[in-house]
Amino acid sequence: MSVSALPIVKDLKREESLARQYKAVRAHTESLCETLETEDYVVSSMPDVSPTKWHLAHTSWFFETFVLTERDSSYVPLNDRYAFLFNSYYVQAGERHCRAQRGLVTRPTVEEVYEYRRYVDQHMLALLEKVGHDPVITLGLHHEQQHQELLLTDIKHVMWTNPLRPAFDARRVESASRRLDDEWSEVPEGIHRIGFDGDGFAFDNERPPHRVFVDRFRIANHLVTNRQYLNFVEDGGYRKPELWLAAGWAIVKDEQRRAPIYWEKNESRWEEFTFAGMSELDPDIPVRHVSYFEADAYARWAGHRLPTEPEWEIAARTFPEIPDLYGSRWQWTQSAYVAYPGYSPPSGAIGEYNGKWMSDQWVLRGSSVATPPGHARVTYRNFFPSDTRWQFTGIRLASQ
Ligand SMILES: [Fe+2]
C-alpha cells in the first residue's frame, strides 16, 4: 500500500512553520499504516473501533470542512458524498453515517482514500503558503494526532478479534519502566492552580486555569504492574463483589470476566495480546487496557484509591521526575469529566469538539505508548466512560 513520501517528523514543534507541522503530522499518520495489508484497513471490530481507512479519511474531512471550505472560496470537494461518510459527530456540520456501521463500507477503496488525502494535502499546502498562523489548522493537527492514537488502539482490537491473532507490528515491544527508591510522593495540603494558562496550544477543556484546594495526599511513583495486577486476579479479585462498583460488578458477572481484555490463561501460563501478537505476560511492565471499574476495584483491593484530577496535575507539576507520567498508560482519575469553572465552548461546530461530551465519563491524565510524542501536556484531559478497555489505560494509586 502506498504511503506518503513526505518527511516524517514525529513531534509538533512550535517553532516550525505551520506547513512543515502539517506535512509532519500527515506523514506520521500514514507511517503508522506501513505494516498493514489492504484488508486490515476496512474492518471495525466493535462500535468504539473505527476502520483505519475511516481514520485516514475523517482526518482529511476535518481539514476539508473546517479549513478549506471556510478559507478557500474556490475549493471544490473531491467527492461531496464523503462528508456524509466521514463526519464523525459534528451535528452542525450536517448528516452523517452511523458510527457502528463504519466497518461495512468497502467503497471508497483504500487507494481512493489515499487519493482523497493527497487531494486535501495539495489544497492545504497551497493555502498554507498564504497562512502564517491559523488556530483551526493547528486544532486540525492536534485532532489528527488524537486519531493517530485511535488508529493504533483500534487496529490492536481488530487484530485481537481475528482468531489468528496476527501481529500488527512485531517491533513494538515494551520494556520495564524506570523505578525510584521511594514508592510514594507526598504533597502537603494547600491551594494550587491547575489548568492551562500558557501561550501555546491547548484544547478548550483545559481552560480556564483556576484554583483548587487539596488535603495532604500521597501519589504512587509507579504505575501498577502486571505482576501486581495478577496478584489481584489470583486473589479472586474478579469474584469479590465487595471490591466493585455496582455497575462494574454487573458487567463482570454477566460477561464472566476474570482478567483484563487482552489477557488469556493457557494452562497455568498467562499470556497477553500485544502489538507483536500473543506473548507471555510481562510481569514488570505497567498493566494496560483496564477499565475504570477495574482500576477502582484494584485500588480498593490494594487498600488505596485513584487520584482526583487536581491531585494528578498537582503531583505531576510538583514531581515531574515521577516515572511514566507520560508515554506509558493513560491514568484513570476518580474525577468526572466536567467543565472547569468559567468554561464555555467555542461557537459553531468546533464547539462540539469537547464541551458536549461532559457527562458520564471520567478524566484520564498523562498519555500512553500510543500517544504521538509531543502531543500531551500536564493539563491535558482525556476522557472515557467507565467500561472503556481498548485504550492504553493503567492505574496510578493515591492515598492519604
Ligand atoms: Fe475526529
Side-chain angles (χ1 to χ4, degrees), residues 23-56:
K23 288 180 189 174
V25 170
R26 298 283 283 175
H28 185 58
T29 304
E30 296 182 15
S31 77
L32 298 175
C33 305
E34 281 172 350
T35 60
L36 295 182
E37 300 294 341
T38 305
E39 290 79 358
D40 299 325
Y41 282 80
V42 186
V43 175
S44 164
S45 47
M46 66 164 174
D48 284 337
V49 164
S50 297
T52 303
K53 185 175 79 168
W54 186 89
H55 287 299
L56 294 174

Side-chain angles (χ1 to χ4, degrees), residues 14 29 33 56 84 155-156 178 259 289 299 329 332 340 360 372 397:
R14 286 176 57 196
T29 304
C33 305
L56 294 174
F84 179 80
I155 198 67
K156 181 171 182 177
R178 178 173 59 88
H289 302 293
R329 308 286 180 260
W332 288 106
Y340 282 164
D360 302 321
L397 297 173

